Amino acid sequence: MKRPTISDVARAAGVSVATVDRVLSGRARVREETARKVQQAAEDVGYHGVNAIRSRIRTGLPELSVGVVLQKERHSFYQSFVHELETQAAARADRNVRLTIRFARSTRPEEQAELLLGLKGHVDAVASTGIDHHEVTAAVQELRDAGIPTFSMLSDFAQGVRESYLGLNNLRLGRTAGWLISHIAARPGKIGIFIGAHRYHGHELREAGLRSYLREYGPGFELLEAQVNLETRELTYEATGDLLSRQPDLAGLYVAGGGMEGAIEAFEKAGPPPGCALLVNELTPESYRGLQNGTVSIVFGTPIRQIVAELLSLAASTVDQGQADTPGQRFFTPDIYTPESLA
């Protein structure tokens, strides 16, 4: 096939060859709408200079630097999060977005505070997952005083100081888990719940929501005391095995944070009581397999794409217009996967 030419691009875009040449060379200014029409046409016809066109269009756009602090660098969920951040940052048409991504090695508040403060002076805005603790709040306040807004993601922290929370309504998610377990379980009985740490605000809200639902609509079900699994596979595996051996009437287990791989492995090896529901978070290779073989009953998925899009838009508008007097929150609807979702 003949290699696409400037003429082909011009024809597909409905503009003159001279206009395409101006976009490529940058010698004369072209309206942004026209330039983007040329870029789209170049992509459609497979023109070899499309990267040059894309680069030329982005020249002169305002800069937005965003620092992001996440957990578990090697976990597939956070790898997907990073991929979505990079993809959407590169696709922004209104400005050049530069990302600085850091990963926490633990749930220690001093580490999270250090990572947040390490971004001071290097970025325009900060977004972070993590725990709610006074050291973290102090770090967020220092960033705010320096004119750098902080957005909490997935699990809220530094309420009243951070700019906005972006994530699920965790209290409602806990109630949803209660409804699902009470309808999936073969009979009423004990329900276990694992949380990553007591300082994870989102996990505590999920526990509160689950307990609230069962108190109101789940007679015969008893929610056991929450167990901290530090979101690790090993601790979750051991705790799940212990739970299965001590609670023969176990009706359900909700892994409210991370570490669900250990619960899935324990259910697969030990075999849960008949009709016992296992609810976990995020569709990963492990939870997908669990749904396939019937070990996992429900997977709650976080809509990463929507959260990232909202984060970048909010960061841009906050940098342009200034921080809000009243911090806000943006709730998103979880994706819910069942074994039948895979059919």
Side-chain angles (χ1 to χ4, degrees), residues 164-182:
S164 187
Y165 162 72
L166 297 94
L168 304 178
N169 183 326
N170 289 300
L171 186 68
R172 184 176 298 169
L173 187 65
R175 290 186 63 87
T176 301
W179 187 93
L180 288 164
I181 292 174
S182 67

Side-chain angles (χ1 to χ4, degrees), residues 121-134:
H122 302 285
V123 298
D124 301 313
V126 170
S128 176
T129 59
I131 63 173
D132 189 32
H133 189 273
H134 64 86

Side-chain angles (χ1 to χ4, degrees), residues 61 91 198 307:
L61 288 177
H198 290 299
I307 290 176

